[in-house]
Amino acid sequence: MATLEKAVVKGLAEDKGLYMPESIKPLPKEFFDNIDKMSFQEIAYTVADAFFGEDVDAESLKKIVYDTLAFDCPVVPVTDNIYTLELFHGPTLAFKDVGARFMARLLQYFLKKNGNDKGNVNVLVATSGDTGSAVANGFLGVEGIHVYVLYPKGKVSPIQECQFTTLGKNITAIEVDGVFDDCQALVKNAFMDAELNAHMKLTSANSINVARFLPQSFYYFNAYARMKALGKADELVMCVPSGNFGNICSALFGHQMGLPIKRFVAANNANDIFYNYLQTGEYHPQPSKATLANAMDVGDPSNFARIYDLYKGDHKAITSLISGATYKDEQIRQTMRECYAETGYVLDPHGACGYQALKDLLQPGEVGVFCETAHPAKFKEKVDDILGTDIEIPQRLQDFMKGTKQSIAMSKDFADFKAFLMAE
Ligand SMILES: *Cc1c(COP(=O)(O)O)cnc(C)c1O
């Protein structure tokens, strides 16, 4: 057993397992009865209090939540019975903004509480694009914490790259001469290296960290609230485009706390490991396959262990609550075109998996909400190519593109990376 503080500061348990909350507090019926009259921030604070209230004083927690959620998370109708929950209105237009910002604030709170506000915590994060920008922006300017973003040279889109290489301050971008797996291996090796850990305090900001994935549950309470206000929440199906399964896992925690969602759908691209688990009861990790929806290219989802644990490994319990769907690139393209032609809504390739899964799996009487996990402009070239559009790049993204790129070149050899960190 560990304190919340330890779970947040360390990221991974000593046995290399994932931290889980010891118990999950159900929220009272009155909360759900009145939720449709509450704002996103009010709802999120109530949920955060149930998760973190014993470890963080009320005033500080409220500040952390309100500071994290300074943007909206609207539900938008796409068809009669399919709605989308737009998770991309944060600072880097990614749903990961919420977890990254919340984790940065919580870590800072614990440092201050220990009189360590000069701090000396170093966050290492490997990215294939989206995680790096959300984490870098979430931690930007947070005193006492330095962030190292490792990314593969030439494998990240220019829009993504500028979101973490132009920031300066406490953010260092490291351009690795290799692929994403090399970046991840460097980070993993750093966590295991005794000499390096004696030299500096290291932590991870991947979705294995409880402070990064739990706050994502706020989105699902908000989705329920907004659908209830429309009188459409009685048979609600929530569909989550999934990669590492952190996002859907946070929704399942919400369900355990009493959130009245009827059932869930995990939508996947061609990486169909979870889909196959649902069909067969067997979990076989695979090397990841590159697809159009690249933030979901995961062959061994790290949060699968949490879902398994949540339902005590009971395959029947899992399949009665969660269904799966898997789509190849050709289907993703076709879905994007059909949705655009029929409804005018521009899906990004990740959201397209979610929309199609609801089209395929909704039963009569049910209403579905799928997460739009990325703003289509983040994948502008692909989206324009598929739809024949010229979508506008939001001002916030354009602003990043004006900055000057600064990064440190690194080989994929751990000895080089270690020597660099030892000299920091
Ligand atoms: C990270 C990400 C996902 C997958 O989320 P998980 O929590 O890893 O399942 C889906 N879509 C986009 C755009 C992402 O950035």
Side-chain angles (χ1 to χ4, degrees), residues 93-96 129-131 160 207 212-213 216 220 240-250 267-268 293-298 301-303 348-351 371-375 378-379:
L93 310 181
F95 79 79
K96 295 184 175 75
D130 264 10
T131 305
Q160 288 175 324
S207 65
R212 244 206 75 198
F213 93 90
Q216 291 168 1
Y220 299 94
V240 188
S242 296
N244 253 326
F245 283 71
N247 203 6
I248 194 167
C249 193
S250 77
N268 282 127
N294 60 13
M296 291 159 35
D297 293 350
V298 181
S302 44
N303 289 293
D348 97 295
H350 305 81
C371 298
E372 228 326 344
T373 47
H375 192 293
K378 288 195 100 167
F379 302 91

mmCIF file of all heavy atoms in Angstrom, residues 93-96 129-131 160 207 212-213 216 220 240-250 267-268 293-298 301-303 348-351 371-375 378-379, ligand 1:
data_model
loop_
_atom_site.group_PDB
_atom_site.id
_atom_site.type_symbol
_atom_site.label_atom_id
_atom_site.label_comp_id
_atom_site.label_asym_id
_atom_site.label_seq_id
_atom_site.Cartn_x
_atom_site.Cartn_y
_atom_site.Cartn_z
ATOM 1 N N LEU A 93 -5.022 21.197 -27.511
ATOM 2 C CA LEU A 93 -6.112 20.587 -28.275
ATOM 3 C C LEU A 93 -6.126 19.067 -28.166
ATOM 4 O O LEU A 93 -6.533 18.366 -29.092
ATOM 5 C CB LEU A 93 -6.046 20.991 -29.762
ATOM 6 C CG LEU A 93 -5.914 22.477 -30.073
ATOM 7 C CD1 LEU A 93 -5.883 22.692 -31.578
ATOM 8 C CD2 LEU A 93 -7.068 23.278 -29.486
ATOM 9 N N ALA A 94 -5.658 18.548 -27.028
ATOM 10 C CA ALA A 94 -5.649 17.098 -26.823
ATOM 11 C C ALA A 94 -6.338 16.769 -25.507
ATOM 12 O O ALA A 94 -6.254 17.542 -24.555
ATOM 13 C CB ALA A 94 -4.210 16.593 -26.772
ATOM 14 N N PHE A 95 -7.015 15.609 -25.427
ATOM 15 C CA PHE A 95 -7.680 15.266 -24.163
ATOM 16 C C PHE A 95 -6.654 15.028 -23.068
ATOM 17 O O PHE A 95 -6.962 15.113 -21.884
ATOM 18 C CB PHE A 95 -8.608 14.058 -24.333
ATOM 19 C CG PHE A 95 -7.922 12.718 -24.342
ATOM 20 C CD1 PHE A 95 -7.525 12.114 -23.159
ATOM 21 C CD2 PHE A 95 -7.693 12.061 -25.535
ATOM 22 C CE1 PHE A 95 -6.907 10.879 -23.156
ATOM 23 C CE2 PHE A 95 -7.067 10.827 -25.550
ATOM 24 C CZ PHE A 95 -6.673 10.242 -24.361
ATOM 25 N N LYS A 96 -5.423 14.743 -23.467
ATOM 26 C CA LYS A 96 -4.386 14.473 -22.470
ATOM 27 C C LYS A 96 -4.000 15.735 -21.685
ATOM 28 O O LYS A 96 -3.328 15.638 -20.667
ATOM 29 C CB LYS A 96 -3.157 13.878 -23.145
ATOM 30 C CG LYS A 96 -3.441 12.507 -23.757
ATOM 31 C CD LYS A 96 -2.195 11.888 -24.337
ATOM 32 C CE LYS A 96 -2.437 10.483 -24.847
ATOM 33 N NZ LYS A 96 -3.191 10.466 -26.138
ATOM 34 N N GLY A 129 4.158 11.945 -30.210
ATOM 35 C CA GLY A 129 3.545 13.198 -30.663
ATOM 36 C C GLY A 129 2.698 13.876 -29.608
ATOM 37 O O GLY A 129 3.108 14.844 -28.991
ATOM 38 N N ASP A 130 1.494 13.312 -29.352
ATOM 39 C CA ASP A 130 0.501 14.000 -28.525
ATOM 40 C C ASP A 130 0.829 14.071 -27.041
ATOM 41 O O ASP A 130 0.581 15.098 -26.404
ATOM 42 C CB ASP A 130 -0.859 13.321 -28.684
ATOM 43 C CG ASP A 130 -1.707 14.039 -29.711
ATOM 44 O OD1 ASP A 130 -1.159 14.915 -30.409
ATOM 45 O OD2 ASP A 130 -2.899 13.731 -29.791
ATOM 46 N N THR A 131 1.357 13.004 -26.484
ATOM 47 C CA THR A 131 1.626 12.999 -25.039
ATOM 48 C C THR A 131 2.658 14.063 -24.697
ATOM 49 O O THR A 131 2.518 14.790 -23.716
ATOM 50 C CB THR A 131 2.141 11.617 -24.594
ATOM 51 O OG1 THR A 131 1.200 10.651 -25.004
ATOM 52 C CG2 THR A 131 2.312 11.547 -23.092
ATOM 53 N N GLN A 160 3.026 18.926 -34.245
ATOM 54 C CA GLN A 160 3.247 18.322 -32.924
ATOM 55 C C GLN A 160 4.597 18.751 -32.355
ATOM 56 O O GLN A 160 4.715 19.112 -31.188
ATOM 57 C CB GLN A 160 3.194 16.797 -33.025
ATOM 58 C CG GLN A 160 1.789 16.274 -33.259
ATOM 59 C CD GLN A 160 1.748 14.782 -33.480
ATOM 60 O OE1 GLN A 160 2.639 14.204 -34.092
ATOM 61 N NE2 GLN A 160 0.711 14.150 -32.976
ATOM 62 N N SER A 207 0.527 7.460 -18.947
ATOM 63 C CA SER A 207 -0.803 7.285 -18.342
ATOM 64 C C SER A 207 -0.797 6.224 -17.254
ATOM 65 O O SER A 207 -1.811 5.984 -16.611
ATOM 66 C CB SER A 207 -1.866 6.975 -19.393
ATOM 67 O OG SER A 207 -1.613 5.731 -19.998
ATOM 68 N N ARG A 212 -2.385 11.200 -13.698
ATOM 69 C CA ARG A 212 -2.642 11.551 -15.094
ATOM 70 C C ARG A 212 -3.899 10.906 -15.628
ATOM 71 O O ARG A 212 -4.637 11.516 -16.392
ATOM 72 C CB ARG A 212 -1.449 11.174 -15.982
ATOM 73 C CG ARG A 212 -0.811 12.406 -16.606
ATOM 74 C CD ARG A 212 -0.107 12.101 -17.897
ATOM 75 N NE ARG A 212 -1.027 11.888 -18.979
ATOM 76 C CZ ARG A 212 -0.707 11.286 -20.099
ATOM 77 N NH1 ARG A 212 0.509 10.823 -20.284
ATOM 78 N NH2 ARG A 212 -1.602 11.129 -21.042
ATOM 79 N N PHE A 213 -4.184 9.675 -15.238
ATOM 80 C CA PHE A 213 -5.354 9.051 -15.879
ATOM 81 C C PHE A 213 -6.669 9.261 -15.119
ATOM 82 O O PHE A 213 -7.705 9.447 -15.742
ATOM 83 C CB PHE A 213 -5.088 7.569 -16.218
ATOM 84 C CG PHE A 213 -5.519 6.596 -15.168
ATOM 85 C CD1 PHE A 213 -6.807 6.069 -15.188
ATOM 86 C CD2 PHE A 213 -4.659 6.214 -14.179
ATOM 87 C CE1 PHE A 213 -7.215 5.179 -14.213
ATOM 88 C CE2 PHE A 213 -5.058 5.326 -13.207
ATOM 89 C CZ PHE A 213 -6.340 4.816 -13.218
ATOM 90 N N GLN A 216 -9.164 12.147 -15.995
ATOM 91 C CA GLN A 216 -9.915 12.022 -17.252
ATOM 92 C C GLN A 216 -11.350 11.584 -16.987
ATOM 93 O O GLN A 216 -12.223 11.781 -17.830
ATOM 94 C CB GLN A 216 -9.202 11.049 -18.192
ATOM 95 C CG GLN A 216 -7.890 11.639 -18.693
ATOM 96 C CD GLN A 216 -6.994 10.628 -19.382
ATOM 97 O OE1 GLN A 216 -7.343 9.462 -19.525
ATOM 98 N NE2 GLN A 216 -5.844 11.073 -19.821
ATOM 99 N N TYR A 220 -16.324 12.155 -18.311
ATOM 100 C CA TYR A 220 -17.469 11.242 -18.445
ATOM 101 C C TYR A 220 -18.624 11.663 -17.565
ATOM 102 O O TYR A 220 -19.788 11.512 -17.939
ATOM 103 C CB TYR A 220 -17.010 9.797 -18.194
ATOM 104 C CG TYR A 220 -15.982 9.427 -19.221
ATOM 105 C CD1 TYR A 220 -14.617 9.569 -18.971
ATOM 106 C CD2 TYR A 220 -16.375 9.071 -20.504
ATOM 107 C CE1 TYR A 220 -13.678 9.319 -19.949
ATOM 108 C CE2 TYR A 220 -15.449 8.821 -21.495
ATOM 109 C CZ TYR A 220 -14.107 8.951 -21.207
ATOM 110 O OH TYR A 220 -13.189 8.726 -22.186
ATOM 111 N N VAL A 240 -15.222 4.961 -26.431
ATOM 112 C CA VAL A 240 -13.929 5.616 -26.258
ATOM 113 C C VAL A 240 -12.895 5.038 -27.225
ATOM 114 O O VAL A 240 -12.541 3.859 -27.138
ATOM 115 C CB VAL A 240 -13.415 5.419 -24.803
ATOM 116 C CG1 VAL A 240 -12.164 6.257 -24.561
ATOM 117 C CG2 VAL A 240 -14.494 5.757 -23.788
ATOM 118 N N PRO A 241 -12.403 5.848 -28.167
ATOM 119 C CA PRO A 241 -11.299 5.400 -29.030
ATOM 120 C C PRO A 241 -10.075 5.166 -28.140
ATOM 121 O O PRO A 241 -9.667 6.065 -27.414
ATOM 122 C CB PRO A 241 -11.068 6.597 -29.973
ATOM 123 C CG PRO A 241 -12.326 7.414 -29.897
ATOM 124 C CD PRO A 241 -12.848 7.214 -28.511
ATOM 125 N N SER A 242 -9.512 3.952 -28.193
ATOM 126 C CA SER A 242 -8.538 3.576 -27.163
ATOM 127 C C SER A 242 -7.206 3.102 -27.717
ATOM 128 O O SER A 242 -7.138 2.481 -28.786
ATOM 129 C CB SER A 242 -9.135 2.470 -26.285
ATOM 130 O OG SER A 242 -10.271 2.970 -25.603
ATOM 131 N N GLY A 243 -6.140 3.408 -26.966
ATOM 132 C CA GLY A 243 -4.789 2.975 -27.315
ATOM 133 C C GLY A 243 -4.151 2.290 -26.123
ATOM 134 O O GLY A 243 -4.065 1.075 -26.054
ATOM 135 N N ASN A 244 -3.736 3.089 -25.142
ATOM 136 C CA ASN A 244 -3.211 2.532 -23.905
ATOM 137 C C ASN A 244 -4.309 2.247 -22.885
ATOM 138 O O ASN A 244 -4.043 1.775 -21.787
ATOM 139 C CB ASN A 244 -2.182 3.487 -23.293
ATOM 140 C CG ASN A 244 -0.781 2.949 -23.451
ATOM 141 O OD1 ASN A 244 -0.572 1.734 -23.405
ATOM 142 N ND2 ASN A 244 0.183 3.825 -23.632
ATOM 143 N N PHE A 245 -5.553 2.583 -23.192
ATOM 144 C CA PHE A 245 -6.734 2.320 -22.366
ATOM 145 C C PHE A 245 -6.777 3.099 -21.061
ATOM 146 O O PHE A 245 -7.494 2.733 -20.139
ATOM 147 C CB PHE A 245 -6.905 0.805 -22.126
ATOM 148 C CG PHE A 245 -7.472 0.087 -23.319
ATOM 149 C CD1 PHE A 245 -6.706 -0.093 -24.466
ATOM 150 C CD2 PHE A 245 -8.785 -0.364 -23.325
ATOM 151 C CE1 PHE A 245 -7.244 -0.721 -25.594
ATOM 152 C CE2 PHE A 245 -9.331 -0.994 -24.438
ATOM 153 C CZ PHE A 245 -8.551 -1.170 -25.565
ATOM 154 N N GLY A 246 -6.014 4.204 -20.980
ATOM 155 C CA GLY A 246 -6.083 5.044 -19.791
ATOM 156 C C GLY A 246 -7.399 5.806 -19.731
ATOM 157 O O GLY A 246 -8.041 5.898 -18.680
ATOM 158 N N ASN A 247 -7.822 6.319 -20.872
ATOM 159 C CA ASN A 247 -9.034 7.129 -20.933
ATOM 160 C C ASN A 247 -10.271 6.297 -20.585
ATOM 161 O O ASN A 247 -11.047 6.654 -19.698
ATOM 162 C CB ASN A 247 -9.132 7.715 -22.346
ATOM 163 C CG ASN A 247 -9.984 8.975 -22.400
ATOM 164 O OD1 ASN A 247 -10.424 9.485 -21.387
ATOM 165 N ND2 ASN A 247 -10.210 9.460 -23.605
ATOM 166 N N ILE A 248 -10.439 5.155 -21.229
ATOM 167 C CA ILE A 248 -11.620 4.320 -20.933
ATOM 168 C C ILE A 248 -11.545 3.797 -19.497
ATOM 169 O O ILE A 248 -12.555 3.666 -18.815
ATOM 170 C CB ILE A 248 -11.810 3.173 -21.955
ATOM 171 C CG1 ILE A 248 -13.210 2.575 -21.805
ATOM 172 C CG2 ILE A 248 -10.747 2.097 -21.804
ATOM 173 C CD1 ILE A 248 -13.630 1.662 -22.936
ATOM 174 N N CYS A 249 -10.350 3.551 -19.020
ATOM 175 C CA CYS A 249 -10.182 3.067 -17.653
ATOM 176 C C CYS A 249 -10.703 4.118 -16.656
ATOM 177 O O CYS A 249 -11.369 3.775 -15.678
ATOM 178 C CB CYS A 249 -8.708 2.770 -17.418
ATOM 179 S SG CYS A 249 -8.411 1.846 -15.931
ATOM 180 N N SER A 250 -10.444 5.376 -16.927
ATOM 181 C CA SER A 250 -10.943 6.429 -16.036
ATOM 182 C C SER A 250 -12.478 6.467 -16.075
ATOM 183 O O SER A 250 -13.125 6.708 -15.056
ATOM 184 C CB SER A 250 -10.356 7.785 -16.426
ATOM 185 O OG SER A 250 -10.998 8.314 -17.560
ATOM 186 N N ALA A 267 -13.263 1.444 -28.867
ATOM 187 C CA ALA A 267 -13.049 1.411 -30.313
ATOM 188 C C ALA A 267 -11.550 1.399 -30.587
ATOM 189 O O ALA A 267 -10.815 2.220 -30.047
ATOM 190 C CB ALA A 267 -13.705 2.631 -30.961
ATOM 191 N N ASN A 268 -11.142 0.461 -31.403
ATOM 192 C CA ASN A 268 -9.713 0.351 -31.747
ATOM 193 C C ASN A 268 -9.492 0.498 -33.238
ATOM 194 O O ASN A 268 -10.390 0.263 -34.045
ATOM 195 C CB ASN A 268 -9.170 -1.016 -31.322
ATOM 196 C CG ASN A 268 -8.898 -1.094 -29.824
ATOM 197 O OD1 ASN A 268 -9.382 -1.993 -29.137
ATOM 198 N ND2 ASN A 268 -8.156 -0.145 -29.307
ATOM 199 N N ALA A 293 -4.762 6.341 -37.347
ATOM 200 C CA ALA A 293 -5.071 6.865 -36.006
ATOM 201 C C ALA A 293 -3.890 6.530 -35.107
ATOM 202 O O ALA A 293 -3.971 5.666 -34.231
ATOM 203 C CB ALA A 293 -6.376 6.243 -35.490
ATOM 204 N N ASN A 294 -2.766 7.238 -35.291
ATOM 205 C CA ASN A 294 -1.497 6.758 -34.729
ATOM 206 C C ASN A 294 -1.368 6.895 -33.217
ATOM 207 O O ASN A 294 -0.552 6.214 -32.604
ATOM 208 C CB ASN A 294 -0.304 7.403 -35.449
ATOM 209 C CG ASN A 294 -0.308 8.916 -35.322
ATOM 210 O OD1 ASN A 294 -1.047 9.472 -34.516
ATOM 211 N ND2 ASN A 294 0.515 9.582 -36.097
ATOM 212 N N ALA A 295 -2.183 7.749 -32.586
ATOM 213 C CA ALA A 295 -2.115 7.841 -31.114
ATOM 214 C C ALA A 295 -2.708 6.597 -30.455
ATOM 215 O O ALA A 295 -2.629 6.436 -29.244
ATOM 216 C CB ALA A 295 -2.827 9.095 -30.624
ATOM 217 N N MET A 296 -3.312 5.725 -31.279
ATOM 218 C CA MET A 296 -3.876 4.484 -30.742
ATOM 219 C C MET A 296 -3.092 3.256 -31.212
ATOM 220 O O MET A 296 -3.563 2.134 -31.099
ATOM 221 C CB MET A 296 -5.348 4.346 -31.179
ATOM 222 C CG MET A 296 -6.221 5.375 -30.507
ATOM 223 S SD MET A 296 -7.815 5.748 -31.296
ATOM 224 C CE MET A 296 -8.362 4.224 -31.979
ATOM 225 N N ASP A 297 -1.877 3.482 -31.719
ATOM 226 C CA ASP A 297 -1.058 2.350 -32.188
ATOM 227 C C ASP A 297 -0.320 1.721 -31.011
ATOM 228 O O ASP A 297 0.868 1.963 -30.793
ATOM 229 C CB ASP A 297 -0.035 2.824 -33.235
ATOM 230 C CG ASP A 297 -0.706 3.290 -34.517
ATOM 231 O OD1 ASP A 297 -1.926 3.063 -34.660
ATOM 232 O OD2 ASP A 297 -0.013 3.871 -35.363
ATOM 233 N N VAL A 298 -1.036 0.907 -30.257
ATOM 234 C CA VAL A 298 -0.469 0.298 -29.063
ATOM 235 C C VAL A 298 -0.730 -1.207 -29.112
ATOM 236 O O VAL A 298 -1.867 -1.635 -29.296
ATOM 237 C CB VAL A 298 -1.095 0.897 -27.779
ATOM 238 C CG1 VAL A 298 -0.476 0.282 -26.533
ATOM 239 C CG2 VAL A 298 -0.943 2.412 -27.759
ATOM 240 N N PRO A 301 -1.471 -2.620 -24.350
ATOM 241 C CA PRO A 301 -1.999 -1.460 -23.606
ATOM 242 C C PRO A 301 -1.667 -1.529 -22.114
ATOM 243 O O PRO A 301 -2.039 -2.493 -21.449
ATOM 244 C CB PRO A 301 -3.512 -1.546 -23.813
ATOM 245 C CG PRO A 301 -3.726 -2.501 -24.931
ATOM 246 C CD PRO A 301 -2.530 -3.370 -25.035
ATOM 247 N N SER A 302 -0.991 -0.504 -21.600
ATOM 248 C CA SER A 302 -0.503 -0.609 -20.224
ATOM 249 C C SER A 302 -1.626 -0.584 -19.194
ATOM 250 O O SER A 302 -1.449 -1.083 -18.102
ATOM 251 C CB SER A 302 0.541 0.465 -19.925
ATOM 252 O OG SER A 302 0.136 1.692 -20.426
ATOM 253 N N ASN A 303 -2.779 -0.018 -19.522
ATOM 254 C CA ASN A 303 -3.859 0.010 -18.532
ATOM 255 C C ASN A 303 -4.786 -1.203 -18.596
ATOM 256 O O ASN A 303 -5.756 -1.277 -17.840
ATOM 257 C CB ASN A 303 -4.676 1.302 -18.664
ATOM 258 C CG ASN A 303 -3.885 2.498 -18.186
ATOM 259 O OD1 ASN A 303 -3.593 2.613 -16.987
ATOM 260 N ND2 ASN A 303 -3.486 3.363 -19.097
ATOM 261 N N ASP A 348 -11.776 13.329 -36.872
ATOM 262 C CA ASP A 348 -10.361 13.013 -37.066
ATOM 263 C C ASP A 348 -10.285 11.481 -37.100
ATOM 264 O O ASP A 348 -11.269 10.796 -36.786
ATOM 265 C CB ASP A 348 -9.527 13.638 -35.929
ATOM 266 C CG ASP A 348 -9.239 12.638 -34.855
ATOM 267 O OD1 ASP A 348 -10.203 12.184 -34.210
ATOM 268 O OD2 ASP A 348 -8.078 12.242 -34.693
ATOM 269 N N PRO A 349 -9.157 10.896 -37.505
ATOM 270 C CA PRO A 349 -9.112 9.430 -37.644
ATOM 271 C C PRO A 349 -9.375 8.657 -36.342
ATOM 272 O O PRO A 349 -9.895 7.545 -36.393
ATOM 273 C CB PRO A 349 -7.674 9.170 -38.128
ATOM 274 C CG PRO A 349 -7.245 10.446 -38.781
ATOM 275 C CD PRO A 349 -7.914 11.535 -38.019
ATOM 276 N N HIS A 350 -9.073 9.247 -35.182
ATOM 277 C CA HIS A 350 -9.321 8.551 -33.906
ATOM 278 C C HIS A 350 -10.805 8.550 -33.581
ATOM 279 O O HIS A 350 -11.391 7.508 -33.284
ATOM 280 C CB HIS A 350 -8.523 9.219 -32.786
ATOM 281 C CG HIS A 350 -7.061 9.310 -33.073
ATOM 282 N ND1 HIS A 350 -6.541 10.311 -33.869
ATOM 283 C CD2 HIS A 350 -6.014 8.519 -32.721
ATOM 284 C CE1 HIS A 350 -5.240 10.129 -33.976
ATOM 285 N NE2 HIS A 350 -4.887 9.044 -33.297
ATOM 286 N N GLY A 351 -11.406 9.743 -33.682
ATOM 287 C CA GLY A 351 -12.838 9.861 -33.432
ATOM 288 C C GLY A 351 -13.643 9.017 -34.409
ATOM 289 O O GLY A 351 -14.713 8.506 -34.057
ATOM 290 N N CYS A 371 -16.145 9.819 -27.841
ATOM 291 C CA CYS A 371 -15.168 10.874 -27.581
ATOM 292 C C CYS A 371 -14.491 11.267 -28.887
ATOM 293 O O CYS A 371 -14.031 10.402 -29.633
ATOM 294 C CB CYS A 371 -14.078 10.397 -26.626
ATOM 295 S SG CYS A 371 -14.695 9.928 -25.023
ATOM 296 N N GLU A 372 -14.427 12.583 -29.160
ATOM 297 C CA GLU A 372 -13.548 13.073 -30.217
ATOM 298 C C GLU A 372 -12.265 13.424 -29.474
ATOM 299 O O GLU A 372 -12.213 14.370 -28.694
ATOM 300 C CB GLU A 372 -14.152 14.294 -30.898
ATOM 301 C CG GLU A 372 -14.163 14.288 -32.427
ATOM 302 C CD GLU A 372 -13.002 13.600 -33.160
ATOM 303 O OE1 GLU A 372 -11.952 13.327 -32.545
ATOM 304 O OE2 GLU A 372 -13.138 13.348 -34.359
ATOM 305 N N THR A 373 -11.225 12.588 -29.642
ATOM 306 C CA THR A 373 -10.035 12.694 -28.797
ATOM 307 C C THR A 373 -9.025 13.706 -29.333
ATOM 308 O O THR A 373 -8.115 14.086 -28.606
ATOM 309 C CB THR A 373 -9.356 11.319 -28.641
ATOM 310 O OG1 THR A 373 -9.248 10.712 -29.922
ATOM 311 C CG2 THR A 373 -10.160 10.427 -27.715
ATOM 312 N N ALA A 374 -9.157 14.128 -30.584
ATOM 313 C CA ALA A 374 -8.203 15.100 -31.124
ATOM 314 C C ALA A 374 -8.920 16.070 -32.054
ATOM 315 O O ALA A 374 -9.882 15.699 -32.743
ATOM 316 C CB ALA A 374 -7.097 14.400 -31.905
ATOM 317 N N HIS A 375 -8.472 17.294 -32.079
ATOM 318 C CA HIS A 375 -8.989 18.262 -33.057
ATOM 319 C C HIS A 375 -8.503 17.834 -34.447
ATOM 320 O O HIS A 375 -7.321 17.524 -34.619
ATOM 321 C CB HIS A 375 -8.447 19.647 -32.722
ATOM 322 C CG HIS A 375 -9.126 20.745 -33.477
ATOM 323 N ND1 HIS A 375 -9.012 20.886 -34.838
ATOM 324 C CD2 HIS A 375 -9.938 21.748 -33.066
ATOM 325 C CE1 HIS A 375 -9.733 21.929 -35.228
ATOM 326 N NE2 HIS A 375 -10.304 22.459 -34.172
ATOM 327 N N LYS A 378 -5.119 18.822 -35.982
ATOM 328 C CA LYS A 378 -3.852 18.212 -35.583
ATOM 329 C C LYS A 378 -3.396 17.184 -36.613
ATOM 330 O O LYS A 378 -2.251 16.776 -36.639
ATOM 331 C CB LYS A 378 -3.991 17.530 -34.213
ATOM 332 C CG LYS A 378 -4.096 18.522 -33.084
ATOM 333 C CD LYS A 378 -3.871 17.861 -31.759
ATOM 334 C CE LYS A 378 -2.470 18.091 -31.275
ATOM 335 N NZ LYS A 378 -2.295 17.716 -29.856
ATOM 336 N N PHE A 379 -4.348 16.737 -37.427
ATOM 337 C CA PHE A 379 -4.030 15.764 -38.477
ATOM 338 C C PHE A 379 -4.458 16.341 -39.817
ATOM 339 O O PHE A 379 -5.012 15.650 -40.661
ATOM 340 C CB PHE A 379 -4.734 14.431 -38.176
ATOM 341 C CG PHE A 379 -4.340 13.871 -36.841
ATOM 342 C CD1 PHE A 379 -5.069 14.174 -35.707
ATOM 343 C CD2 PHE A 379 -3.204 13.080 -36.710
ATOM 344 C CE1 PHE A 379 -4.680 13.699 -34.467
ATOM 345 C CE2 PHE A 379 -2.800 12.604 -35.467
ATOM 346 C CZ PHE A 379 -3.543 12.919 -34.342
HETATM 347 C C1 LIG B 1 -3.808 9.205 -26.429
HETATM 348 C C2 LIG B 1 -4.846 9.232 -27.490
HETATM 349 C C3 LIG B 1 -5.796 8.195 -27.632
HETATM 350 C C4 LIG B 1 -5.768 6.939 -26.792
HETATM 351 O O1 LIG B 1 -6.030 7.158 -25.431
HETATM 352 P P1 LIG B 1 -5.653 6.037 -24.353
HETATM 353 O O2 LIG B 1 -5.932 6.667 -23.034
HETATM 354 O O3 LIG B 1 -4.185 5.756 -24.539
HETATM 355 O O4 LIG B 1 -6.477 4.848 -24.634
HETATM 356 C C5 LIG B 1 -6.778 8.322 -28.606
HETATM 357 N N1 LIG B 1 -6.810 9.396 -29.410
HETATM 358 C C6 LIG B 1 -5.913 10.399 -29.323
HETATM 359 C C7 LIG B 1 -6.004 11.532 -30.269
HETATM 360 C C8 LIG B 1 -4.897 10.353 -28.362
HETATM 361 O O5 LIG B 1 -4.017 11.349 -28.295
#
